[in-house]
Amino acid sequence: MSTAMIPVVIVGAGPAGITAATLLAHHGIDTLVLERWADVYPQPRAVHLDGEIRRILERLGVGREFDGISRPALGLRLLDRSGRVLAQFDRDPAGGRSGYPEANLFDQPELEAILRVNLKRHPGVTLRGDVEVAAITEESGCVRVDFTDLVTGDAESVRARYVLGCDGANSVVRGAIGARMRNLRFEQRWLVVDVATPRDLGQWEGVHQVCDPARAATFMRIGKTRYRWEFRLLPGETAADFGDPGRLRPLLDPWLGGVPEADLELVRVAEYTFRAQLADRWRRGRVFLLGDAAHLTPPFIGQGMGAGLRDAANLGWKLAGVLRGELPEDVLDTYETERKPHARAMIRLAKLTGVTMTDGGELGNRLRGLLAPRLHRIPGLTQMLTSGESPPLHLSGPERGPRLRRRLRGRLVPNVRLADGRRLDEAMNGRYTVITVREPEPQCRLIVEQRGGFIVVAEPGTELHRWVRQGRAVAALVRPDGTVQCCGDVQSLCAASPSFHPGAQARR
């Protein structure tokens, strides 16, 4: 049994776990990542992430590599059962407020491989595969993690200041803290089909959603030679019914045209049950849940994997600040209070989208045919569907200024390009940042910089200046994760800026 104390043990090396480990490494925190599989899980699962998650990938240092394996999607098309376009919501592939395309399609195993290669650049992170966690036990001032090496059969233990459960839908960590998944009343069985072909299918480069309760379907191109289909299964059907290409081909033909079977490689045919679930608690003491261990989202808005990365981005800097002795321990209480309502809102939106697109029988089909072409006339709806901005976080703690001046609070700052050519995220570099439309006093700058922070003056006529003024503010204090903490006058925000030094080592 090892008695060494590790700052953070992460159970699970999927996207959420590797993201958490990498972000903690950026803040000088050593971690041990324990993973049951020997390597990246080979089967494709998630295929979409939005511009906000693309910003997180940039912070991880894998943005360029991700762009090499992904395709910006042009938007969403709603189709009827005959393939007629009912409505189309376009997205600019050049990028939006996040600085990157707002819809990105990719192959999850390729992304995970990139994340793991990047993780090796951080010597303070140790990744161990082929291990199975058996127990999580809280002790005085730490957590003991018992696990088995699946190669040697040896039982081992480590102690950690904190444990992050990123071990998926069947989470061992969730069970260890007594948390349970609450059913949010959505369950559908779908057939997922992944095909590789050198042929260009000549389809519109966006997401196609067939709104047909008799056989709802989704189609998208996710790579240079990779395509994904999803079909809702009928009662009594299983994936085994479509193992024969002859049964599968009629479902694919509307998109394949005359492509011969010799040019098609069937990568996977699998059945998935899409669920909407939310853990009743995300934390007990020094143990936290992230990703699918905390929430399951139906795939209709492509937010399942992204939710786990949002968890890691929210908790990582807070945990680092506590371990370094810069932030009070009660800042960790804000993780669940901020992320849980946000995850619930995205799950509800996914449920609504799924039901709207797939339910209602023939009456639903007729209503969709009448209403879908007019959706763009609903004020704000197109902007909501195409902007890529997720709901603001509900922050705890005192609010500053009149209510009308709080509209930026909890929102992500736009990742604009600054005068020196850098994106705002790059300039912030994981620091607390004061963004102001007025030049601060030298003493204000000194206070912020001594505390490890950064000041950006938004010049008149710039996109950043317009964002601050449209928020009825003159200055905003932005957290290391890019979220606006509060607004006010620049002097008070400089005084309120916490001491936070990215890259500093944790106290032992």
Side-chain angles (χ1 to χ4, degrees):
M1 176 181 292
S2 171
T3 58
M5 180 72 73
I6 300 169
V8 180
V9 167
I10 298 173
V11 183
I18 297 297
T19 296
T22 307
L23 291 174
L24 285 167
H26 287 178
H27 290 298
I29 306 301
D30 293 346
T31 62
L32 168 64
V33 184
L34 302 176
E35 169 58 45
R36 191 179 191 283
W37 296 94
D39 204 344
V40 171
Y41 185 73
Q43 294 296 340
R45 289 159 290 162
V47 294
H48 171 273
L49 58 84
D50 62 23
E52 292 182 354
I53 306 305
R54 173 62 180 80
R55 291 173 71 170
I56 296 176
L57 296 183
E58 191 70 20
R59 287 182 225 159
L60 298 179
V62 299
R64 183 172 298 180
E65 290 90 341
F66 175 75
D67 291 344
I69 66 163
S70 64
R71 301 179 70 86
L74 298 183
L76 170 68
R77 274 183 177 174
L78 304 182
L79 311 175
D80 65 13
R81 63 176 57 170
S82 65
R84 180 174 64 94
V85 177
L86 299 174
Q88 180 168 314
F89 300 92
D90 295 312
R91 282 185 164 176
D92 185 355
R97 70 184 309 277
S98 294
Y100 305 103
E102 295 299 347
N104 304 272
L105 301 174
F106 63 98
D107 179 49
Q108 182 172 338
E110 289 185 327
L111 172 58
E112 290 197 42
I114 289 171
L115 291 174
R116 290 200 181 195
V117 170
N118 183 61
L119 192 68
K120 295 178 182 178
R121 301 171 187 169
H122 302 284
V125 181
T126 301
L127 170 59
R128 288 190 59 178
D130 273 328
V131 297
E132 185 168 21
V133 172
I136 308 288
T137 307
E138 291 192 66
E139 298 181 343
S140 178
C142 68
V143 183
R144 190 182 79 243
V145 181
D146 300 321
F147 59 94
T148 301
D149 186 310
L150 297 176
V151 175
T152 66
D154 293 340
E156 301 182 45
S157 294
V158 295
R159 286 180 169 84
R161 296 279 302 279
Y162 293 94
V163 170
L164 308 186
C166 306
D167 50 341
N170 299 314
S171 171
V172 172
V173 179
R174 185 176 65 236
I177 68 171
R180 296 185 178 185
M181 281 296 206
R182 298 302 187 194
N183 191 343
L184 300 184
R185 294 178 302 192
F186 184 92
E187 186 171 305
Q188 291 184 355
R189 296 185 312 114
W190 284 66
L191 183 74
V192 178
V193 181
D194 287 283
V195 169
T197 177
R199 295 289 193 100
D200 188 326
L201 301 187
Q203 300 291 337
W204 181 69
E205 296 280 337
V207 178
H208 304 234
Q209 178 64 54
V210 179
C211 304
D212 179 11
R215 180 73 82 184
T218 306
F219 164 76
M220 64 203 83
R221 183 175 187 172
I222 61 173
K224 186 175 181 180
T225 62
R226 291 288 302 279
Y227 298 85
R228 159 72 61 91
W229 285 265
E230 296 169 356
F231 301 96
R232 188 172 180 183
L233 288 168
L234 305 181
E237 289 182 334
T238 69
D241 296 327
F242 298 92
D244 177 6
R247 288 286 309 272
L248 190 59
R249 184 70 190 231
L251 297 180
L252 307 185
D253 267 344
W255 291 275
L256 290 178
V259 177
E261 288 190 16
D263 288 341
L264 301 175
E265 176 191 352
L266 197 58
V267 177
R268 180 185 64 156
V269 178
E271 178 180 331
Y272 276 82
T273 299
F274 298 156
R275 293 185 172 93
Q277 295 182 344
L278 195 65
D280 57 359
R281 66 161 69 169
W282 292 26
R283 176 193 184 187
R284 188 178 73 185
R286 295 175 175 269
V287 183
F288 297 81
L289 301 179
L290 293 79
D292 286 357
H295 42 71
L296 294 175
T297 307
F300 301 107
I301 57 173
Q303 288 292 328
M305 188 194 78
L309 271 64
R310 294 182 200 273
D311 295 341
N314 184 286
L315 181 59
W317 67 274
K318 298 173 182 177
L319 195 55
V322 171
L323 285 166
R324 296 197 307 244
E326 295 176 316
L327 299 177
E329 191 170 356
D330 61 9
V331 74
L332 300 178
D333 296 336
T334 67
Y335 166 63
E336 181 172 347
T337 59
E338 291 177 3
R339 284 294 306 136
K340 191 173 185 179
H342 189 280
R344 183 185 291 112
M346 300 304 279
I347 291 171
R348 285 174 174 169
L349 180 57
K351 283 177 54 182
L352 176 62
T353 303
V355 169
T356 300
M357 291 179 177
T358 64
D359 281 3
E362 284 304 317
L363 177 59
N365 268 349
R366 293 178 184 179
L367 289 174
R368 277 186 284 269
L370 291 172
L371 297 178
R374 296 168 175 81
L375 290 176
H376 67 281
R377 299 179 185 175
I378 300 176
L381 180 61
T382 298
Q383 174 67 16
M384 181 183 70
L385 291 174
T386 61
S387 71
E389 184 176 9
S390 67
L393 298 179
H394 298 287
L395 305 188
S396 57
E399 297 184 353
R400 297 174 179 270
R403 183 170 297 277
L404 285 176
R405 296 186 181 180
R406 301 174 194 163
R407 60 173 60 184
L408 297 182
R409 180 178 165 89
R411 296 188 179 277
L412 274 178
V413 62
N415 190 24
V416 299
R417 196 171 292 282
L418 303 178
D420 62 6
R422 293 181 298 172
R423 290 283 181 186
L424 180 59
D425 283 355
E426 181 184 359
M428 289 176 56
N429 194 27
R431 296 175 286 182
Y432 265 97
T433 301
V434 176
I435 298 175
T436 173
V437 299
R438 297 174 184 170
E439 186 69 36
E441 297 291 333
Q443 185 63 24
C444 283
R445 282 190 177 275
L446 182 62
I447 290 173
V448 171
E449 291 169 3
Q450 286 179 338
R451 295 176 180 176
F454 183 58
I455 291 182
V456 176
V457 178
E459 300 293 342
T462 64
E463 186 178 348
L464 192 58
H465 186 280
R466 287 192 293 273
W467 173 78
V468 175
R469 298 307 291 158
Q470 287 171 358
R472 299 178 181 262
V474 293
L477 178 61
V478 182
R479 307 186 322 188
D481 61 357
T483 301
V484 176
Q485 180 167 303
C486 56
C487 297
D489 64 88
V490 64
Q491 184 172 346
S492 66
L493 294 187
C494 289
S497 180
S499 177
F500 188 86
H501 296 78
Q505 294 297 311
R507 292 181 179 179
R508 303 295 179 179

